[in-house]
Coordinates of all heavy atoms in Angstrom, one line a residue:
A35 N 138.3 112.0 99.5 CA 138.7 113.3 100.1 C 139.3 113.0 101.5 O 138.7 112.2 102.2 CB 137.5 114.2 100.2
G36 N 140.4 113.6 101.8 CA 141.1 113.3 103.0 C 141.9 112.1 103.0 O 142.0 111.3 102.0
S37 N 142.6 111.8 104.1 CA 143.5 110.7 104.1 C 143.1 109.5 105.0 O 143.8 108.5 105.1 CB 144.9 111.2 104.6 OG 144.8 111.7 106.0
M38 N 141.9 109.6 105.6 CA 141.5 108.6 106.5 C 140.2 107.9 106.1 O 139.2 108.6 105.7 CB 141.3 109.1 107.9 CG 142.6 109.6 108.6 SD 143.7 108.3 109.1 CE 142.9 107.8 110.6
L39 N 140.1 106.6 106.1 CA 138.9 105.9 105.8 C 138.8 104.7 106.9 O 139.8 104.0 107.1 CB 138.9 105.3 104.4 CG 138.7 106.2 103.2 CD1 139.0 105.4 102.0 CD2 137.3 106.7 103.3
H40 N 137.6 104.6 107.4 CA 137.4 103.5 108.4 C 136.3 102.6 107.9 O 135.2 103.0 107.8 CB 137.0 104.2 109.8 CG 138.0 105.2 110.2 ND1 138.0 106.5 109.8 CD2 139.1 105.1 111.1 CE1 139.0 107.2 110.4 NE2 139.6 106.4 111.2
L41 N 136.7 101.4 107.6 CA 135.7 100.4 107.0 C 135.2 99.5 108.1 O 135.8 99.3 109.1 CB 136.4 99.7 105.9 CG 137.1 100.6 104.8 CD1 137.8 99.8 103.8 CD2 136.0 101.6 104.2
S42 N 134.1 98.9 107.8 CA 133.3 98.1 108.8 C 133.2 96.6 108.4 O 132.2 96.0 108.7 CB 131.9 98.7 109.0 OG 131.2 98.6 107.8
F43 N 134.2 96.1 107.7 CA 134.2 94.6 107.4 C 134.1 93.8 108.6 O 134.9 94.0 109.6 CB 135.5 94.3 106.7 CG 135.7 94.8 105.3 CD1 136.2 96.1 105.1 CD2 135.4 94.1 104.2 CE1 136.3 96.6 103.8 CE2 135.5 94.6 102.9 CZ 136.0 95.9 102.7
G44 N 133.1 92.9 108.7 CA 132.8 92.1 109.8 C 131.8 92.6 110.8 O 131.3 91.9 111.6
E45 N 131.3 93.8 110.5 CA 130.3 94.5 111.4 C 129.0 94.7 110.8 O 128.1 95.4 111.3 CB 130.9 95.8 111.9 CG 132.2 95.7 112.6 CD 132.8 97.1 112.9 OE1 132.1 98.1 113.0 OE2 134.1 97.2 112.9
E46 N 128.8 94.1 109.6 CA 127.6 94.4 108.8 C 126.3 94.0 109.5 O 125.2 94.6 109.3 CB 127.7 93.7 107.4 CG 128.8 94.2 106.5 CD 130.1 93.5 106.8 OE1 130.2 92.7 107.7 OE2 131.1 93.8 106.0
S47 N 126.3 93.0 110.3 CA 125.1 92.5 111.0 C 124.6 93.5 112.0 O 123.4 93.6 112.2 CB 125.4 91.2 111.7 OG 126.3 91.4 112.8
A48 N 125.5 94.3 112.6 CA 125.0 95.4 113.5 C 124.2 96.4 112.7 O 123.1 96.8 113.2 CB 126.2 96.0 114.2
A49 N 124.7 96.9 111.6 CA 124.0 97.9 110.8 C 122.7 97.4 110.3 O 121.7 98.1 110.4 CB 124.9 98.3 109.7
V50 N 122.7 96.2 109.8 CA 121.5 95.6 109.1 C 120.5 95.1 110.1 O 119.3 95.4 110.0 CB 121.9 94.5 108.1 CG1 120.6 93.9 107.5 CG2 122.7 95.1 107.0
G51 N 121.0 94.4 111.1 CA 120.1 93.9 112.1 C 119.3 94.9 112.9 O 118.1 94.8 113.1
V52 N 120.0 96.0 113.3 CA 119.4 97.1 114.0 C 118.6 97.9 113.1 O 117.4 98.3 113.3 CB 120.4 97.9 114.8 CG1 119.7 99.1 115.4 CG2 121.2 97.1 115.8
G53 N 119.2 98.2 111.9 CA 118.5 99.0 110.9 C 117.1 98.4 110.5 O 116.1 99.2 110.3
E54 N 117.0 97.1 110.4 CA 115.8 96.4 110.1 C 114.7 96.6 111.2 O 113.5 96.6 110.9 CB 116.1 94.9 109.9 CG 114.9 94.1 109.3 CD 114.7 94.3 107.8 OE1 115.6 94.9 107.2 OE2 113.7 93.8 107.3
A55 N 115.1 96.9 112.4 CA 114.2 97.1 113.5 C 113.7 98.6 113.6 O 112.9 98.9 114.4 CB 114.8 96.7 114.8
M56 N 114.3 99.5 112.8 CA 113.9 100.9 112.9 C 112.8 101.2 111.9 O 112.6 100.4 111.0 CB 115.2 101.7 112.5 CG 116.3 101.6 113.6 SD 117.8 102.4 113.1 CE 117.3 104.2 113.1
H57 N 112.1 102.3 112.1 CA 111.0 102.7 111.2 C 111.4 103.9 110.4 O 112.3 104.7 110.8 CB 109.8 103.1 112.1 CG 109.2 101.9 112.8 ND1 108.2 102.0 113.7 CD2 109.5 100.6 112.8 CE1 107.9 100.8 114.2 NE2 108.6 99.9 113.6
S58 N 110.7 104.2 109.4 CA 110.8 105.4 108.6 C 110.6 106.6 109.5 O 109.6 106.6 110.3 CB 109.9 105.4 107.4 OG 110.0 106.6 106.7
G59 N 111.5 107.6 109.5 CA 111.3 108.7 110.4 C 112.2 108.7 111.6 O 112.4 109.7 112.3
D60 N 112.7 107.5 112.0 CA 113.6 107.4 113.1 C 114.9 108.1 112.8 O 115.4 108.1 111.7 CB 113.9 105.9 113.4 CG 112.7 105.2 114.0 OD1 111.7 105.9 114.4 OD2 112.7 103.9 114.1
G61 N 115.5 108.7 113.8 CA 116.7 109.4 113.7 C 117.9 108.5 114.2 O 117.7 107.6 115.0
F62 N 119.1 108.8 113.7 CA 120.2 108.1 114.2 C 121.5 108.9 114.0 O 121.6 109.8 113.1 CB 120.4 106.7 113.5 CG 120.6 106.8 112.0 CD1 121.9 106.6 111.5 CD2 119.5 107.0 111.1 CE1 122.1 106.7 110.1 CE2 119.7 107.1 109.8 CZ 121.0 106.9 109.2
T63 N 122.5 108.6 114.8 CA 123.8 109.1 114.7 C 124.8 107.9 114.6 O 124.5 106.8 115.1 CB 124.3 110.0 115.9 OG1 124.2 109.2 117.1 CG2 123.3 111.2 116.0
T64 N 125.9 108.2 113.9 CA 126.9 107.1 113.8 C 128.3 107.6 114.2 O 128.5 108.8 114.3 CB 127.0 106.6 112.3 OG1 127.7 107.5 111.5 CG2 125.7 106.3 111.8
H65 N 129.2 106.7 114.4 CA 130.6 107.0 114.6 C 131.3 107.1 113.3 O 130.7 107.2 112.2 CB 131.2 105.9 115.5 CG 131.0 104.5 115.0 ND1 130.1 104.1 114.0 CD2 131.7 103.3 115.4 CE1 130.2 102.9 113.8 NE2 131.1 102.3 114.6
H66 N 132.7 107.1 113.4 CA 133.5 107.4 112.2 C 133.5 106.1 111.2 O 134.0 106.2 110.1 CB 134.9 107.7 112.5 CG 135.6 106.7 113.4 ND1 135.4 106.7 114.8 CD2 136.3 105.6 113.2 CE1 136.1 105.7 115.3 NE2 136.6 105.0 114.4
R67 N 132.9 105.0 111.7 CA 132.9 103.8 110.9 C 131.4 103.5 110.5 O 130.9 102.4 110.8 CB 133.5 102.6 111.7 CG 134.0 101.5 110.9 CD 134.6 100.4 111.9 NE 135.7 100.9 112.7 CZ 137.0 101.1 112.3 NH1 137.3 100.7 111.1 NH2 137.9 101.5 113.2
G68 N 130.8 104.5 109.9 CA 129.3 104.4 109.7 C 128.8 104.2 108.3 O 127.6 104.4 108.2
H69 N 129.6 103.9 107.3 CA 129.1 103.8 106.0 C 127.9 102.8 105.9 O 126.9 103.0 105.3 CB 130.2 103.3 105.0 CG 131.4 104.2 104.9 ND1 132.6 103.7 104.6 CD2 131.5 105.5 105.2 CE1 133.5 104.7 104.6 NE2 132.8 105.8 105.0
G70 N 128.2 101.6 106.6 CA 127.2 100.5 106.5 C 125.9 100.9 107.1 O 124.8 100.5 106.6
I71 N 125.9 101.6 108.2 CA 124.7 102.0 108.9 C 123.9 102.9 108.0 O 122.6 102.7 107.9 CB 125.1 102.7 110.2 CG1 125.8 101.8 111.2 CG2 123.8 103.2 110.9 CD1 126.5 102.5 112.3
F72 N 124.5 103.8 107.4 CA 123.7 104.7 106.5 C 123.2 103.9 105.3 O 122.0 104.2 104.9 CB 124.7 105.8 106.0 CG 124.0 107.0 105.4 CD1 122.6 107.3 105.6 CD2 124.7 107.8 104.5 CE1 122.0 108.3 105.0 CE2 124.0 108.9 103.9 CZ 122.7 109.2 104.1
L73 N 123.9 103.0 104.7 CA 123.4 102.2 103.6 C 122.2 101.4 104.1 O 121.2 101.2 103.4 CB 124.5 101.3 103.1 CG 125.4 101.8 102.0 CD1 126.5 100.9 101.7 CD2 124.6 102.1 100.7
A74 N 122.3 100.8 105.3 CA 121.2 100.0 105.8 C 119.9 100.8 106.0 O 118.8 100.3 106.1 CB 121.6 99.4 107.2
R75 N 120.1 102.1 106.2 CA 118.9 103.0 106.4 C 118.4 103.6 105.1 O 117.7 104.6 105.1 CB 119.2 104.1 107.4 CG 119.4 103.6 108.8 CD 118.2 102.8 109.3 NE 117.0 103.5 109.4 CZ 115.8 103.1 109.1 NH1 115.6 101.8 108.8 NH2 114.8 103.8 109.2
G76 N 118.9 103.1 104.0 CA 118.4 103.6 102.7 C 119.2 104.5 101.9 O 118.7 105.1 100.9
A77 N 120.4 104.8 102.2 CA 121.3 105.7 101.5 C 121.5 105.3 100.1 O 121.6 104.1 99.8 CB 122.6 105.9 102.2
D78 N 121.7 106.2 99.2 CA 122.0 106.0 97.8 C 123.5 105.8 97.7 O 124.3 106.8 98.0 CB 121.6 107.2 97.0 CG 121.9 107.1 95.5 OD1 122.7 106.2 95.1 OD2 121.3 107.9 94.7
P79 N 124.0 104.7 97.3 CA 125.5 104.5 97.2 C 126.2 105.4 96.3 O 127.3 105.7 96.5 CB 125.6 103.0 96.8 CG 124.3 102.6 96.2 CD 123.3 103.5 96.9
K80 N 125.5 105.9 95.3 CA 126.2 106.9 94.4 C 126.5 108.2 95.1 O 127.6 108.7 95.0 CB 125.3 107.1 93.1 CG 125.2 106.0 92.2 CD 124.4 106.4 90.9 CE 124.4 105.2 89.9 NZ 123.6 105.6 88.7
K81 N 125.4 108.7 95.8 CA 125.6 109.9 96.5 C 126.6 109.8 97.7 O 127.4 110.7 98.0 CB 124.3 110.5 97.0 CG 123.3 111.0 96.0 CD 122.0 111.5 96.5 CE 122.2 112.7 97.3 NZ 120.9 113.3 97.8
M82 N 126.6 108.6 98.3 CA 127.5 108.3 99.4 C 129.0 108.3 98.8 O 129.9 108.9 99.4 CB 127.2 107.0 100.0 CG 126.1 107.0 101.0 SD 126.1 105.4 101.9 CE 127.6 105.4 102.9
M83 N 129.2 107.6 97.7 CA 130.5 107.5 97.2 C 131.0 108.9 96.7 O 132.2 109.2 96.9 CB 130.5 106.5 96.0 CG 131.9 106.0 95.6 SD 132.6 104.8 96.7 CE 131.7 103.3 96.3
A84 N 130.1 109.7 96.2 CA 130.5 111.0 95.7 C 130.9 111.9 97.0 O 131.8 112.7 96.9 CB 129.3 111.7 95.0

Side-chain angles (χ1 to χ4, degrees):
S37 60
M38 295 289 281
L39 284 171
H40 306 82
L41 307 178
S42 63
F43 290 83
E45 305 172 25
E46 294 86 357
S47 64
V50 174
V52 177
E54 188 78 7
M56 295 171 66
H57 294 172
S58 176
D60 287 348
F62 64 99
T63 60
T64 75
H65 51 347
H66 55 274
R67 204 179 301 279
H69 304 152
I71 298 164
F72 193 23
L73 273 172
R75 293 303 301 147
D78 179 345
K80 288 183 177 179
K81 291 181 67 176
M82 277 190 71
M83 196 75 78

